[in-house]
Amino acid sequence: MIKSVITDYGVVNFEYKVAKSNKITIKIKNDGSVRVLAPAIVNYSRVENFVKSRAKWVVTNSQKYKQKFETLANSSFDSIYILGQNYPIIYCDCEKVKISFFNNNIYLFGNREKVLKKFKKTLFNFAKDYLFERFNIIKNELEIKDEIAFAVKNVKTWWGSYNAKNKMIKLSFRLITRDKLSIDSVIYHEFAHCKVLNHQKEFYKVLLTYCPQYYTLKKALKDSKFDISDKFILDK
């Protein structure tokens, strides 16, 4: 259900949905559209007032996300970051689909759709190998004795996760676009949870002992220069 409300910062159009949560929440999607979720028992006038109270944040971020979405939609995939280094992509027309790396360029031969699919699979396999290697090195460095399972997932919402019950660490595929130190910072973070489960003072003490630049690297993970690389990886 699409709703509109007039605010001090202009008209805010949003998708209104009843949710099971016990509070009103506002979400801005990648394309800049706005979604408002509210419990069924909440009167709609409260929803309007809540949107008005957050109008400046909603309008500012909606415009920012919309502009970014449109920029990405009109951008050509002509380079990709791998381990923090940008590699130009050169497309070559021919019948056989193949991938070649030469002089820091990536050459993609054959039908574009097919070769991009093959390239993503190749990149995913490389990511699994590299991330697993770093996983083992850092596990030994932190002297983690437990058996910890490992997986790489194509997700946007997190860089890494640790499941204490299943003793498993999962890492995001798109980490492979970031530099090596930033990648390590995520792995250190997840292994620190093997020692201290929650994000308490002791947890960060452990984490910063092994990764002193953690906060700087955490901020660098969001760098916008990786947007096109992320878009290629996340488009399933």
Side-chain angles (χ1 to χ4, degrees):
M1 184 186 307
I2 303 299
K3 297 283 189 177
S4 298
V5 60
I6 299 174
T7 76
D8 292 339
Y9 299 91
V11 177
V12 175
N13 299 308
F14 59 92
E15 179 187 4
Y16 176 55
K17 293 192 71 175
V18 174
K20 293 181 180 180
S21 62
N22 57 6
K23 62 181 180 179
I24 303 171
T25 57
I26 300 176
K27 296 184 178 181
I28 300 177
K29 298 167 72 174
N30 288 342
D31 60 1
S33 60
V34 180
R35 174 181 290 177
V36 179
L37 307 173
I41 60 173
V42 171
N43 189 287
Y44 180 68
S45 62
R46 281 186 57 193
V47 174
E48 283 193 327
N49 289 333
F50 184 77
V51 173
K52 289 178 182 178
S53 71
R54 303 295 306 278
K56 183 178 180 180
W57 176 84
V58 171
V59 171
T60 300
N61 284 280
S62 177
Q63 291 174 347
K64 182 175 73 174
Y65 277 58
K66 183 178 180 181
Q67 183 179 20
K68 178 179 175 179
F69 181 83
E70 291 175 348
T71 299
L72 283 175
N74 295 320
S75 298
S76 58
F77 183 58
D78 54 10
S79 68
I80 188 170
Y81 281 89
I82 302 175
L83 297 179
Q85 181 176 339
N86 193 34
Y87 292 90
I89 294 174
I90 299 171
Y91 295 92
C92 305
D93 289 330
C94 68
E95 292 185 6
K96 187 176 181 180
V97 172
K98 71 173 186 175
I99 302 163
S100 178
F101 296 84
F102 182 71
N103 285 344
N104 288 326
N105 292 317
I106 298 172
Y107 292 85
L108 301 182
F109 296 86
N111 177 274
R112 182 170 294 206
E113 183 178 348
K114 290 181 179 179
V115 75
L116 284 175
K117 184 177 181 180
K118 182 176 181 178
F119 177 51
K120 185 182 290 188
K121 184 176 180 180
T122 301
L123 185 61
F124 183 77
N125 289 333
F126 171 73
K128 283 199 300 184
D129 290 343
Y130 179 82
L131 295 174
F132 188 56
E133 178 184 0
R134 296 306 303 162
F135 169 92
N136 284 319
I137 289 172
I138 292 172
K139 180 176 184 287
N140 291 331
E141 183 183 349
L142 271 67
E143 299 181 332
I144 305 295
K145 303 302 182 184
D146 292 345
E147 288 296 322
I148 307 294
F150 168 85
V152 176
K153 299 294 181 179
N154 192 5
V155 294
K156 177 183 180 180
T157 52
W158 44 261
W159 294 109
S161 70
Y162 172 63
N163 187 311
K165 182 179 179 180
N166 297 329
K167 292 188 179 297
M168 170 176 277
I169 286 177
K170 297 177 183 178
L171 299 175
S172 172
F173 173 22
R174 67 192 182 107
L175 267 177
I176 201 61
T177 65
R178 271 54 177 183
D179 65 273
K180 295 179 180 181
L181 289 178
S182 294
I183 293 171
D184 282 358
S185 73
V186 174
I187 303 174
Y188 278 121
H189 180 112
E190 302 314 325
F191 271 121
H193 278 305
C194 296
K195 293 178 176 288
V196 183
L197 188 57
N198 298 316
H199 291 114
Q200 52 191 274
K201 186 176 180 180
E202 188 62 28
F203 169 82
Y204 287 103
K205 183 178 179 180
V206 171
L207 176 56
L208 293 172
T209 297
Y210 292 97
C211 187
Q213 297 174 279
Y214 175 74
Y215 291 114
T216 300
L217 295 170
K218 180 181 178 181
K219 187 176 181 181
L221 284 168
K222 298 180 179 180
D223 197 325
S224 62
K225 73 181 181 181
F226 298 103
D227 285 345
I228 294 177
S229 298
D230 283 350
K231 184 176 185 292
F232 168 69
I233 285 174
L234 292 166
D235 281 346
K236 300 179 182 181

